[in-house]
Amino acid sequence: MRLPGSVAEVRASESGPHIGAFFDLDGTLVAGFTGVIMTQDRLRRRQMSAGEFIGMVQAGLNHQLGRSEFEDLIGKGARMLRGNSVDDVDELAERLFVQKVVGRIYPEMRELVRAHMARGHTVVLSSSALTVQVEPVARFLGINNVLSNKFETDDDGLITGEVQRPIIWGPGKARAVQEFAAANNIDLSKSYFYADGDEDVALMYLVGNPRPTNPEGKMAAVAAKRGWPILRFSSRSGASPASQLRTVAGIASMVPIAASALGVGLLTRNRRTGVNFFTSTFGRTLLDIVGIDLQVIGRENLTAQRPAVFIFNHRNQADPLIAGRLVSDNFTSVGKKELENDPIVGTLGKIMDAAFIDRDDPQKAIEGLKKVEDLARKGLSILIAPEGTRLDTTEVGAFKKGPFRIAMSVGIPIVPIVIRNAEVIAARDSSTFNPGTVDIAVYPPISVDDWTHDNLPERIDEIRQLYLDTLKEWPHGELNLPDLYMRAKPAKKSAKRKAPAKKAAAPKGRP
């Protein structure tokens, strides 16, 4: 649906650099305030006294209560850094970005930025924060245009304790945007502005597509009165009490479901029947309680050919549960050794006869994969993330060879499961899941009959490219999934091959 404020709306919009897309930083692209992170780090490293910290907090409160101007607040922060090298402050900002800020970037906003870029719009990060806070985020998102406040420096590159004038805030920010638009032939009447703060209300009036994002106070009131579409995101704002309760309740359902599965296994005198009851029931129950909805394209491919090696892209702790919910039954899994002692994942793994791989010991890793291969030969499918670890990004990491060697050794197909939007459900290391909708594309089984050691790297690259293509151009409506799948270019059978693939593919070395 091309709702105002949606990625679909942007993708269907007029293209060209004459349309601007202006994004605020704190509270809009990033949850919370980046300036607070830097202040807390300086306090932790004893680079500022407790009195200075309290003074900064008071200055922030006075500004929020309207008792002081923004210039006073940003000036106080600049004076605290007087005498520091800009290069040193930039290095600190980059470190804090990697450690603290990158995980706070809203994935929903990241998608909007990319959608505007895909339409050729002129994307600008316009913020009242200082350049040291803004530029790391801009680089990460690929935004080349930045409007922000800057330190004044002396001839030696040291911060003087002042901020360059005019200050970019409120009317000053609106003026900077207008000047940028005029210099770059941008038509503001067709442009977009995403922001949350009251000081940006005036700028909202200047653009044809105002998009209040996580607004409060005056901005929210004006948006409601004017009928502006409001965007609200909670995926990086900290888990709400309701989400925490739902997550706890969902995980707690493991106990009664496991007890019921034990009963089923005893009644049927078949352990696998009990395990199947558990995996199919727990996955469905957990997602239903949390409020996670799955929109699946190609669901028929989940049962087209069993057993199979089901692979999925990995973003957070919800991904394995989502993939397990899809595969449902008659499967086991592979995980890293560190997860074996995890109270949730470790318990699930033991119930499912999963293999926990020691990445630092190639020989033990091979033994673990052999255990999985034996289970596959007995008819169990394998569920595994070929990236091997969670990546907090919309890109796809390098694929390890382990999953594909299993398929070749046993002679079973690869079934790619492409997951989109899972980062909205939870951040990389979050243990709390938010309600939301996750898009899934399940591709037809890919035969490995003519895969060999020689062409294995090429075949893996082709399947990884399938993930990249799908995430870049998601299938919609009547798009034929098998047609899109053909981009993977499955290997053609070769008459020259003498030995069967499963013998040529016996796993050797590190998985």
Side-chain angles (χ1 to χ4, degrees):
M1 297 179 66
R2 297 174 182 176
L3 297 175
S6 68
V7 171
E9 179 211 15
V10 175
R11 287 175 175 164
S13 68
E14 182 180 344
S15 64
H18 64 289
I19 296 177
F22 298 88
F23 291 84
D24 185 32
L25 179 68
D26 295 327
T28 302
L29 284 174
V30 177
F33 295 92
T34 53
V36 172
I37 294 173
M38 184 172 290
T39 301
Q40 290 174 334
D41 183 78
R42 284 177 56 78
L43 178 65
R44 187 163 47 249
R45 292 176 175 274
R46 298 184 179 180
Q47 295 174 340
M48 66 185 299
S49 67
E52 288 176 319
F53 178 74
I54 292 172
M56 280 296 299
V57 173
Q58 288 178 335
L61 289 173
N62 286 335
H63 171 64
Q64 289 290 327
L65 296 173
R67 297 171 183 168
S68 65
E69 296 297 325
F70 179 77
E71 288 85 345
D72 298 331
L73 176 62
I74 196 171
K76 190 174 185 66
R79 287 189 291 275
M80 291 179 59
L81 293 171
R82 182 189 292 117
N84 283 273
S85 163
V86 171
D87 290 341
D88 289 342
V89 175
D90 284 342
E91 184 178 339
L92 167 65
E94 189 65 37
R95 175 177 63 79
L96 290 177
F97 171 76
V98 172
Q99 293 177 348
K100 304 288 187 180
V101 178
V102 68
R104 293 174 176 240
I105 295 176
Y106 286 108
E108 301 93 337
M109 295 304 294
R110 185 167 55 195
E111 287 299 302
L112 282 168
V113 168
R114 294 187 179 202
H116 280 292
M117 288 179 173
R119 299 302 294 161
H121 298 167
T122 300
V123 179
V124 184
L125 206 170
S126 54
S127 170
S128 299
L130 288 156
T131 303
V132 293
Q133 301 161 237
V134 175
E135 288 188 340
V137 178
R139 282 194 295 271
F140 178 78
L141 295 174
I143 299 175
N144 297 321
N145 306 297
V146 172
L147 299 175
S148 64
N149 287 305
K150 300 178 176 64
F151 291 117
E152 277 192 0
T153 58
D154 60 20
D155 294 339
D156 296 321
L158 300 179
I159 296 170
T160 66
E162 299 295 330
V163 179
Q164 292 182 17
R165 304 282 171 160
I167 299 293
I168 295 180
W169 187 83
K173 183 175 178 180
R175 189 161 46 249
V177 167
Q178 288 176 303
E179 291 172 356
F180 179 90
N184 292 274
N185 298 315
I186 293 174
D187 185 348
L188 288 177
S189 69
K190 295 182 178 180
S191 296
Y192 298 75
F193 182 46
Y194 301 85
D196 68 307
D198 293 354
E199 71 278 6
D200 288 325
V201 170
L203 189 46
M204 286 288 178
Y205 283 104
L206 295 179
V207 298
N209 298 291
R211 298 293 181 262
T213 307
N214 301 320
E216 300 293 342
K218 180 181 177 182
M219 176 70 83
V222 173
K225 182 177 180 180
R226 303 286 300 185
W228 294 338
I230 294 176
L231 286 68
R232 291 196 184 278
F233 308 122
S234 61
S235 60
R236 294 296 183 271
S237 299
S240 68
S243 292
Q244 292 175 336
L245 288 173
R246 290 192 190 101
T247 302
V248 170
I251 294 174
S253 69
M254 177 191 300
V255 176
I257 292 173
S260 299
L262 178 61
V264 170
L266 292 173
L267 286 172
T268 60
R269 297 184 180 182
N270 187 313
R271 181 176 181 275
R272 175 49 53 180
T273 300
V275 172
N276 286 341
F277 176 88
F278 177 83
T279 56
S280 61
T281 306
F282 177 65
R284 181 178 66 252
T285 303
L286 174 61
L287 268 57
D288 286 347
I289 291 175
V290 174
I292 299 175
D293 181 42
L294 305 183
Q295 292 190 351
V296 185
I297 301 174
R299 189 181 292 273
E300 66 279 3
N301 296 316
L302 292 166
T303 54
Q305 192 170 345
R306 295 284 193 105
V309 175
F310 292 90
I311 60 175
F312 64 96
N313 49 321
H314 198 5
R315 296 293 166 272
N316 54 38
Q317 296 189 69
D319 294 324
L321 297 170
I322 290 171
R325 166 72 180 94
L326 294 169
V327 179
S328 185
D329 56 25
N330 286 314
F331 75 96
T332 187
S333 188
V334 177
K336 59 184 180 181
K337 184 70 175 178
E338 295 84 345
L339 292 175
E340 189 170 11
N341 295 323
D342 184 276
I344 300 174
V345 179
T347 302
L348 288 173
K350 291 171 184 175
I351 291 174
M352 297 164 52
D353 292 321
F356 292 97
I357 303 299
D358 187 346
R359 298 174 184 171
D360 297 324
D361 189 329
Q363 186 57 43
K364 288 184 178 179
I366 292 173
E367 291 173 3
L369 292 181
K370 285 182 177 178
K371 170 190 172 182
V372 172
E373 290 173 8
D374 290 340
L375 291 173
R377 290 189 180 95
K378 295 177 181 178
L380 289 187
S381 292
I382 311 300
L383 181 64
I384 186 170
E387 293 160 294
T389 190
R390 298 188 295 270
L391 299 174
D392 191 14
T393 172
T394 55
E395 296 299 325
V396 178
F399 281 5
K400 299 183 183 299
K401 294 180 180 179
F404 308 96
R405 285 176 167 171
I406 293 173
M408 293 170 67
S409 179
V410 182
I412 57 178
I414 300 286
V415 178
I417 298 175
V418 186
I419 302 175
R420 186 179 73 160
N421 300 339
E423 57 266 32
V424 174
I425 301 302
R428 181 180 183 273
D429 296 316
S430 176
S431 58
T432 298
F433 303 143
N434 296 306
T437 300
V438 178
D439 297 325
I440 311 287
V442 184
Y443 281 90
I446 299 176
S447 173
V448 298
D449 285 349
D450 55 358
W451 288 26
T452 67
H453 282 301
D454 292 337
N455 66 24
L456 178 59
E458 180 184 353
R459 298 294 173 250
I460 293 175
D461 287 343
E462 288 170 351
I463 293 181
R464 180 175 177 273
Q465 189 61 47
L466 177 65
Y467 278 76
L468 293 171
D469 290 344
T470 304
L471 291 169
K472 182 178 180 180
E473 184 182 345
W474 194 259
H476 291 284
E478 299 300 319
L479 181 62
N480 190 298
L481 191 61
D483 288 347
L484 185 61
Y485 150 74
M486 290 304 294
R487 295 181 187 175
K489 299 177 182 177
K492 295 181 179 179
K493 292 187 176 182
S494 172
K496 297 180 180 180
R497 204 175 105 250
K498 297 179 180 180
K502 61 182 180 181
K503 290 185 179 179
K508 295 179 180 180
R510 188 183 181 113

